[in-house]
Amino acid sequence: MVAEPGGPEDPKPQSDEARSAFSHPAGVGRSAPPSEEDHPTSEFALPSGLTPEQPGPGSGSGAGSASGSGSGSETTGSAFAPPRTYSARDSPAFTPAHGIPMIRLTKEAPWQDRMRTMLRMPVAERPAPEPIQKPDDAGPAVPRVLDLTLRIGELLLAGGEGAEDVEAAMFAVTRSYGLDRCEPTVTFTLLSISHQPSLVDDPVTASRTVRRRGTDYTRLAAVFRLIDDIHTEEAEISLEEAYRRLAEIRRNRHPYPGWVLTLAAGGLAGAASVLVGGGFLVFLIAALGAMLGDRLAWLCAGRGLPEFYQFVAAAMPPAAMGVALTLTHWSDVRPSAVITGGLFALLPGRALVAGVQDGLTGYYITAAARLLEVMYFFIGIVAGVLLVLYGGLQLGAQLNPEARLISHDRPVIQILASMVLSLAFAILLQQERSTVLAVTLNGGVAWVIFGAMTRTGGISPVAATAVAAGLVGLFGQLFSRYRYTSSLPFITAAIGPLLPGSATYFGLLGVAQDRLNQGLASLSTAVATAGAIAIGVNLGSEISRLFMRVPGAIGGANRRAAKRTRGF
């Protein structure tokens, strides 16, 4: 018997030349597994002992087939092949841990709500734009579209529109002309917009400064109609046509001449004086003082004086009329009602509502600037009234800070006065004639709610003001959605009867008479009332969206709100 080479019975070992390098070593029946360093494996290979699942009929081409024997070497699937449960039609390209809700932007909803929905979404989750206005074969003219967008945003911001609504309007214009990945930014005096064509192209950024602001709600409504036409498929608005219409909007004259505005200022002051307890004679005197103040403010504006000094000048004639009545000892005339009526015509309710609305919607820089502007206007009114009150006290005027003006024994007259006040306020804001009736009725309803809550229910005037302002915001938002325009023309004038004119006057009178405690308490009431008006208007506008068909995430909020840390 001859022993096998290399076996246990072989008396002498084989030489290196006679033994193959690939033969099994002595005492080993099978080859050892190769070292990972010598034979590196793929990190995508199936582990040993794992049986791959049988691919479904809809698997990708690289999925391969498995014999079910447990060997991973028989599969030819690629690591980049999609899972067998993946469907390209029903699944997004990337799904975070919390999931991506499906966005359905219904075209029946107003464009303002659709644009607000997309503005609150991350850029990667926004649906691709569907160009409504067909561009040329070479694509949209990006610099011209951005310039047109900035010009439209400038008119809206200069007219007193909120920052969120300005951004929504700018976003609507860019998407209508087919520009994707656009980010508008709005501050108090600066507008900017950035467009990034793709991830490898440089972004295009343009900006514009708003150097002058004016109140003309007719022009504001015309700009909204232009945006609505641009965002409507039935209307073909080219860039040239949009520029032409925008130029016409800029050139259009105000709907009311200067003398009508002066009469409206007098009517507003007179109605406010009747609202706080005055009679017909008080109405005439308060109207005369407000008209003198309005003409004096126009004179200061023509000389280039800042708005602060214009408010100082406009506040002095009504206060002087009240002091003159006190010095002449007219017993049947309330001087405090005359001064209060003049203050109603000067209180910056429009800027206050816009500032608080920007703060509540997350635009804090713009809100801080607007509220600072309101503070300067208020200080100007205080300075003008205090100068006259100090002069009257030196002359021996006996002004009674304990008299309370608001009386509830004339509800019909007060309701009519509130409607006249809203009508005059609408004219001062240069509103369209078609909106004057609606805002007049809205102001009357606001005063009815306020009077019913304070007189019948005995509720605090501040709380009643907040509820009445909330109804004003609700009705104003519904009116604006019905007419597809801005809500400001239906809201701003309607809050006129709720402005804290009497509280402001008594606070200033207390300060002038060195009764700081009473004066500061009354001024605090005026500030609280103003804040209640602004918050109520914004809350009413937000509540109105709950009753509308607004596009948004399925099962989620229609307009995503900001979530921030709660103190930590």
Side-chain angles (χ1 to χ4, degrees), residues 71-109:
S71 175
S73 62
E74 297 180 5
T75 60
T76 59
S78 171
F80 301 98
R84 65 183 181 87
T85 59
Y86 176 82
S87 175
R89 183 180 62 181
D90 301 329
S91 301
F94 171 74
T95 303
H98 61 273
I100 298 178
M102 184 182 297
I103 302 300
R104 292 178 180 175
L105 299 177
T106 59
K107 294 185 178 181
E108 292 80 7

Side-chain angles (χ1 to χ4, degrees), residues 56-257:
S59 301
S61 60
S65 62
S67 62
S69 61
S71 175
S73 62
E74 297 180 5
T75 60
T76 59
S78 171
F80 301 98
R84 65 183 181 87
T85 59
Y86 176 82
S87 175
R89 183 180 62 181
D90 301 329
S91 301
F94 171 74
T95 303
H98 61 273
I100 298 178
M102 184 182 297
I103 302 300
R104 292 178 180 175
L105 299 177
T106 59
K107 294 185 178 181
E108 292 80 7
W111 61 265
Q112 296 97 324
D113 296 321
R114 284 182 279 153
M115 295 304 107
R116 287 193 190 99
T117 301
M118 284 188 284
L119 279 174
R120 294 299 178 95
M121 296 168 55
V123 179
E125 299 180 15
R126 293 174 183 170
E130 299 177 0
I132 298 175
Q133 304 301 329
K134 302 301 181 183
D136 299 334
D137 296 336
V142 176
R144 296 195 66 193
V145 173
L146 297 184
D147 179 71
L148 175 67
T149 303
L150 290 174
R151 291 176 183 271
I152 290 176
E154 178 189 10
L155 285 179
L156 294 178
L157 188 62
E161 193 64 67
E164 185 181 29
D165 294 324
V166 175
E167 284 195 359
M170 296 171 64
F171 199 64
V173 174
T174 55
R175 290 184 67 88
S176 298
Y177 286 105
L179 295 188
D180 194 9
R181 292 180 295 274
C182 288
E183 287 295 333
T185 303
V186 177
T187 58
F188 186 54
T189 58
L190 181 64
L191 295 168
S192 64
I193 187 168
S194 177
H195 167 64
Q196 188 173 11
S198 65
L199 296 178
V200 297
D201 294 330
D202 295 332
V204 181
T205 303
S207 61
R208 197 172 185 89
T209 303
V210 180
R211 302 191 181 276
R212 185 178 180 182
R213 294 181 299 276
T215 304
D216 190 344
Y217 283 176
T218 299
R219 179 178 296 176
L220 195 69
V223 176
F224 266 85
R225 283 194 294 269
L226 173 60
I227 301 172
D228 188 64
D229 291 341
I230 291 176
H231 204 70
T232 302
E233 295 181 353
E234 290 76 12
E236 295 184 3
I237 308 295
S238 62
L239 286 176
E240 289 74 14
E241 177 67 16
Y243 270 107
R244 185 189 64 80
R245 291 182 55 177
L246 196 62
E248 291 180 355
I249 293 173
R250 287 181 175 274
R251 288 194 302 264
N252 281 345
R253 298 178 59 87
H254 299 302
Y256 307 104

Side-chain angles (χ1 to χ4, degrees), residues 314-408:
M316 295 178 71
M321 299 290 286
V323 171
L325 290 175
T326 304
L327 293 175
T328 55
H329 303 288
W330 281 26
S331 58
D332 55 343
V333 176
R334 291 185 179 182
S336 52
V338 174
I339 300 176
T340 301
L343 292 179
F344 264 89
L346 297 176
L347 291 177
R350 174 185 59 87
L352 175 67
V353 171
V356 175
Q357 181 179 0
D358 287 341
L360 294 177
T361 52
Y363 296 86
Y364 297 112
I365 297 178
T366 307
R370 289 186 189 272
L371 294 178
L372 184 62
E373 181 186 41
V374 171
M375 186 187 71
Y376 272 107
F377 291 164
F378 189 76
I379 292 176
I381 297 172
V382 169
V385 174
L386 283 181
L387 286 175
V388 177
L389 291 182
Y390 275 126
L393 292 177
Q394 297 300 323
L395 296 175
Q398 300 296 325
L399 297 172
N400 184 13
E402 303 298 332
R404 292 303 170 186
L405 299 178
I406 298 179
S407 61
H408 300 285

